[in-house]
Amino acid sequence: MLDTARIGRQVTIALCYVYPNVLPGKYQPLARQFARTYLEHPPGITDHEIYVVVNGFPDNTAQRLFEPLPVKLLFHNNWAKDLGAFFTAAKSISCDLLVMCGSHVNFWKTGWLDQIASAFMRYGPAVAGTFAMQVPEPHIRTTFWWTSPEILLSYPFLEDGSHRYHFEHGKESIALWSEQRGFAPYQLTWQGAFAREHWHPATLEEGLVRDQHTMRDFGK
C-alpha cells in the first residue's frame, strides 16, 4: 500500500526531460505534450523539481514550451543523444533519485511519481523503469527510468555515442551491471514491482507513462 504520509519528505527527487532542439518541428510538439499531460495527470503529492536538458545547442527560449511548468534548463551538446543528456543531468543535479524521461514520454494517469517514490523508499536507489524486456538481454528500457545519480555516474562502459544501445540492453547494460554490484533492478507498473525474472512488456494500462513504442504497439 502506498504510504502517502512519508512520500516527499525523506528523499529529493528530480524529474528530467530530454528536449532535442535539433529538429524543432518534431520535438517541440512532444515537449508541449509532455507539459500538457503532466498538468492533466499530475504526479501526485511527491515533492520534486523539473529539469529539461536542451540537447543540441543552448537555447533559453525552450523554457516557453513547458509553460506553466517551473522547469530548470540544462544544456548538452547532443553527444550520445538521450544518454548523454542523462549523464549531464546526473552531473549537474544534486538529488537522491533522478527520474529520466525521453522526448516521447507523456502521462495518462495521476499519481505516477508517488508510485516511484514509494518504490524507491522500499527498494532503494536501484535501476528501475516501467518498461522492461527479456530480449536480447533482460533490460530496463531507458525511455522512462530512474536511479541515483551516483549509480549512473559510476557506469564505466560509455566510451562513445555508439554504446547507447549497449548501455540499455547489452550484456553489460546499466541494469545488469548495477545488479552485479548489489542493486537489484526492478520493473514498476500500476500492477506493482517485478523482479528481473518477471520482467515483461507492460500493457497499455500497466505502464506508468506512455511513449512512442506503447502507442505504436497498441495501435493508438
Side-chain angles (χ1 to χ4, degrees):
M1 180 177 296
L2 186 65
D3 186 356
T4 55
R6 296 175 59 199
I7 286 179
R9 294 209 302 262
Q10 295 185 347
V11 298
T12 55
I13 298 177
L15 179 69
C16 178
Y17 176 82
V18 179
Y19 166 60
N21 63 357
V22 291
L23 293 172
K26 176 180 180 179
Y27 290 109
Q28 284 185 2
L30 294 175
R32 293 190 182 99
Q33 175 184 247
F34 173 86
R36 174 178 55 79
T37 58
Y38 176 103
L39 293 169
E40 291 174 348
H41 307 286
I45 66 172
T46 301
D47 190 27
H48 63 287
E49 293 186 318
I50 310 171
Y51 291 83
V52 171
V53 180
V54 179
N55 229 12
F57 57 89
D59 179 12
N60 286 306
T61 66
Q63 197 156 11
R64 300 172 186 170
L65 297 170
F66 301 89
E67 293 178 346
L69 297 184
V71 303
K72 300 179 181 180
L73 299 185
L74 301 172
F75 301 102
H76 179 63
N77 62 9
N78 207 33
W79 178 87
K81 299 186 178 179
D82 281 14
L83 183 55
F86 296 147
F87 273 84
T88 292
K91 293 175 183 176
S92 306
I93 303 170
S94 177
C95 63
D96 298 308
L97 184 65
L98 184 62
V99 181
M100 291 160 278
C101 308
S103 305
H104 290 81
V105 164
N106 58 91
F107 306 101
W108 70 279
K109 188 174 181 178
T110 298
W112 44 271
L113 192 58
D114 286 353
Q115 301 300 315
I116 293 171
S118 182
F120 176 78
M121 289 187 291
R122 181 173 182 179
Y123 300 110
V127 172
T130 201
F131 303 120
M133 304 287 289
Q134 295 289 350
V135 295
E137 301 289 340
H139 67 277
I140 298 292
R141 274 182 38 213
T142 55
T143 299
F144 184 73
W145 66 295
W146 51 93
T147 190
S148 71
E150 291 79 9
I151 289 178
L152 178 55
L153 293 176
S154 296
Y155 183 78
F157 304 115
L158 187 65
E159 297 175 4
D160 58 59
S162 67
H163 286 70
R164 289 188 303 121
Y165 298 108
H166 182 79
F167 174 91
E168 179 185 273
H169 55 244
K171 293 182 182 297
E172 294 176 330
S173 70
I174 182 67
L176 297 182
W177 173 83
S178 62
E179 182 179 44
Q180 294 169 1
R181 280 142 189 85
F183 298 97
Y186 61 93
Q187 177 183 18
L188 183 69
T189 76
W190 289 109
Q191 304 303 316
F194 299 89
R196 180 161 63 88
E197 59 269 24
H198 299 297
W199 289 357
H200 61 280
T203 68
L204 196 60
E205 301 304 312
E206 274 189 285
L208 297 183
V209 302
R210 291 175 178 167
D211 67 1
Q212 75 275 31
H213 298 293
T214 54
M215 306 311 280
R216 179 194 65 199
D217 295 344
F218 290 93
K220 299 295 182 179

